[in-house]
Amino acid sequence: IIAAGTRLQALERSETPSERALAAQAIGEIENPSFYHGPEDLLNDEHLLVRQTALEAAGQLAAPQLLGATLNALSEPQLEAIALQSLSESGESSIDALWEAYGDDDQSFRIRRHILVLLGKMKSEISSNLLFEHLENSDPELEEELLYALHDADFKANSLHFNQIEARINLEGKRAITLLQALTAYADATMQGAIHLRETLQHEFEKVIQRMLLLACFFAPNLPFRRMYA
């Protein structure tokens, strides 16, 4: 065991990127969170292959100490997909860290959106409750993504949720009426600018209807639903 540990440390410090990547791969296969120190350094490696392999190892280890660096990797296009997979493998142990990162005032829209998707895919009662509690105070730009996350999490409303969901449905209904009135006003528009505005209004109206259907799904889980816009 001592000899294997010494060999692993040598690979981590190797000047050859492929050997450092091999060290990250070997640590990941151990699947022991206490071995996080190696990937912690390799996640900041100068070579892309090493960082990619270290991210895969981070997912296998599911160590809380690696969540920060894994979240940061979401901002790198070449690492984004692997980082998402790694975070999805971390399970409920990452919920607190993900939610803290979501609430960071300096957090980007892109990473917040990723976090909502991850929390939804966990299908955890803990993450579902967090998402629902945040629904009333959600960023308007992300409220739709939050609803999709709740839907992905198979969230099922009970009597305690009724008033809040009813209020949301009423709010969306008012939005729909306002948009319909605007669409009626531009129904016969022929100028290019007005036609473009009408198409935008139609798009927003369809999104409102979709949000209302999402809210209805929380009381009727078997209601057929298909996302119209990505």
Side-chain angles (χ1 to χ4, degrees):
I1 295 174
I2 294 174
T6 302
R7 172 59 177 159
L8 193 57
Q9 289 179 342
L11 288 172
E12 288 176 33
R13 301 190 186 103
S14 171
E15 294 184 2
T16 305
S18 60
E19 292 189 348
R20 297 197 299 276
L22 183 61
Q25 181 182 346
I27 294 171
E29 290 173 354
I30 295 171
E31 297 185 356
N32 186 331
S34 63
F35 280 73
Y36 71 87
H37 291 290
E40 191 172 36
D41 294 331
L42 296 173
L43 281 168
N44 297 310
D45 197 277
E46 61 183 19
H47 199 279
L48 178 62
L49 172 65
V50 180
R51 295 201 304 278
Q52 289 174 330
T53 312
L55 275 173
E56 292 173 353
Q60 292 170 296
L61 297 181
Q65 296 87 345
L66 301 176
L67 284 170
T70 307
L71 277 167
N72 291 337
L74 288 172
S75 60
E76 292 189 54
Q78 293 171 301
L79 299 176
E80 184 178 3
I82 300 173
L84 281 171
Q85 180 61 33
S86 176
L87 288 165
S88 69
E89 291 174 357
S90 60
E92 291 190 2
S93 65
S94 67
I95 289 176
D96 288 343
L98 286 171
W99 198 246
E100 183 179 350
Y102 180 89
D104 186 340
D105 291 337
D106 297 323
Q107 193 61 268
S108 70
F109 173 87
R110 184 180 182 83
I111 290 184
R112 278 190 175 135
R113 186 176 184 273
H114 279 318
I115 290 172
L116 289 178
V117 172
L118 286 165
L119 289 171
K121 288 183 176 179
M122 284 181 187
K123 300 186 184 298
S124 156
E125 184 177 353
I126 297 172
S127 61
S128 293
N129 288 336
L130 278 172
L131 290 167
F132 187 82
E133 288 169 9
H134 189 63
L135 185 58
E136 192 170 345
N137 302 310
S138 61
D139 182 336
E141 294 183 352
L142 284 165
E143 63 180 356
E144 194 165 319
E145 293 303 325
L146 201 153
L147 287 171
Y148 282 125
L150 280 167
H151 183 264
D152 289 342
D154 296 330
F155 175 74
K156 295 177 179 62
N158 57 42
S159 57
L160 298 175
H161 305 123
F162 181 82
N163 288 339
Q164 188 172 340
I165 291 179
E166 184 181 42
R168 294 290 303 187
I169 291 175
N170 289 337
L171 175 62
E172 295 296 351
K174 290 176 181 177
R175 289 173 175 171
I177 291 170
T178 301
L179 287 166
L180 275 175
Q181 290 171 339
L183 279 167
T184 301
Y186 286 94
D188 300 321
T190 56
M191 295 183 64
Q192 189 61 39
I195 291 172
H196 178 70
L197 176 58
R198 186 179 65 208
E199 291 172 349
T200 301
L201 290 168
Q202 180 65 36
H203 178 73
E204 289 302 315
F205 176 73
E206 290 170 358
K207 290 177 72 175
V208 167
I209 298 303
Q210 191 160 216
R211 289 197 295 271
M212 293 178 75
L213 286 171
L214 274 168
L215 289 162
C217 284
F218 301 151
F219 282 117
N222 295 324
L223 186 71
F225 178 82
R226 181 173 63 85
R227 182 168 183 165
M228 293 171 63
Y229 301 106

